[in-house]
Amino acid sequence: MTVLSGKHFLRLCTSGVVTSHAMALSLTRLYLHTPAVTRGYVTACVLTTAAVQLGLVTPLQLAFNPQLVVRRWQIWRLITNFLFFGSLGFGFLINIIFLFRYCRLLEEGCFRRRTADFVFLFLFGGVLMTVLGVFVDQVFLGQSFPSMLVYVWSRRNPVQQIHFLGFMSFHARFLPWGLVGFSLLLGNSIVVDILGIVVGHTYFYLEDVLPNQPGGRKLLRTPQILRCVLDHQEGEPATLR
């Protein structure tokens, strides 16, 4: 049996503390440098899911219920159903990772300096998912958001090479369907994934395809009030605080 000296033990402990401290600083720096919309939405999802796990609220209080929204004016359900990602576990972690990554890629990429347009994508997606959610009987639509964002990003970066799960490589345009297959492997329902893809394709078609067709026109227009609130006149994005 090897016996550690006090000096050696102290060195190991110090090394572990330094490593943990460096990791904490790195994560903090990553969080603080994340664009405002991505940071705000991911934070709200994590806090809401944590609140359910701690017993502060129940899923039934957050779920989308059209009757309670209309008859009892429980308007918050239109928002909270997008913030709950199920119980903490592997599925939750995967959803948050994909949400964070592709939401950030969009906000820092094609929506750079276009905060109002990015928020409008969220609003358009949320409204359309809510309408479709009534017909597919889904009470939590938050897991459709990563699929929608991944789809929009993949259509705007179709030939970028993706390394999926560390052992598969393919073009980005196939990524949304890779996520559907991954859900099947985990035994999860693919309804929310398909719903996100349908909404993402609708946005992509109306925003990127239709206006460039002969005789086509732009049907999606970001409300001016969003531009006034979120964007500076010079075109710089306003910081959400």
Side-chain angles (χ1 to χ4, degrees), residues 176-194:
W177 306 107
L179 294 181
V180 172
F182 187 62
S183 292
L184 285 174
L185 287 177
L186 293 178
N188 298 330
S189 171
I190 62 172
V191 173
V192 289
D193 297 304
I194 297 298

Side-chain angles (χ1 to χ4, degrees), residues 4-169:
L4 294 176
S5 67
K7 185 176 182 179
H8 190 194
F9 178 77
L10 181 60
R11 188 182 300 118
L12 289 177
C13 291
T14 304
S15 175
V17 170
V18 171
T19 302
S20 300
H21 182 64
M23 183 180 296
L25 286 177
S26 178
L27 291 175
T28 301
R29 190 178 299 112
L30 174 65
Y31 178 78
L32 293 177
H33 284 81
T34 298
V37 177
T38 301
R39 184 173 67 243
Y41 182 54
V42 172
T43 300
C45 292
V46 172
L47 292 179
T48 301
T49 303
V52 172
Q53 295 300 308
L54 294 173
L56 301 178
V57 293
T58 66
L60 290 177
Q61 293 174 307
L62 307 176
F64 173 58
N65 186 320
Q67 293 185 353
L68 293 179
V69 170
V70 174
R71 296 179 180 179
R72 300 190 180 182
W73 290 91
Q74 296 183 3
I75 306 298
W76 69 82
R77 294 179 181 273
L78 295 174
I79 298 175
T80 55
N81 83 91
F82 287 105
L83 303 180
F84 180 59
F85 277 63
S87 58
L88 294 177
F90 182 71
F92 170 80
L93 182 62
I94 292 297
N95 276 313
I96 288 296
I97 288 175
F98 273 92
L99 175 64
F100 178 82
R101 174 172 173 76
Y102 291 97
C103 192
R104 182 178 183 180
L105 285 174
L106 282 173
E107 192 170 1
E108 292 181 338
C110 56
F111 286 99
R112 183 176 179 82
R113 297 185 178 182
R114 296 173 56 206
T115 304
D117 291 335
F118 193 47
V119 170
F120 182 65
L121 165 60
F122 271 65
L123 294 176
F124 173 83
V127 171
L128 187 54
M129 285 179 195
T130 299
V131 173
L132 295 177
V134 174
F135 298 99
V136 297
D137 196 27
Q138 291 293 312
V139 295
F140 291 107
L141 300 169
Q143 295 182 30
S144 296
F145 251 96
S147 295
M148 178 191 73
L149 297 173
V150 166
Y151 185 88
V152 173
W153 179 86
S154 69
R155 293 303 300 267
R156 291 183 172 180
N157 302 272
V159 297
Q160 183 165 330
Q161 202 69 10
I162 296 294
H163 300 284
F164 189 65
L165 300 178
F167 63 90
M168 289 187 291
S169 181

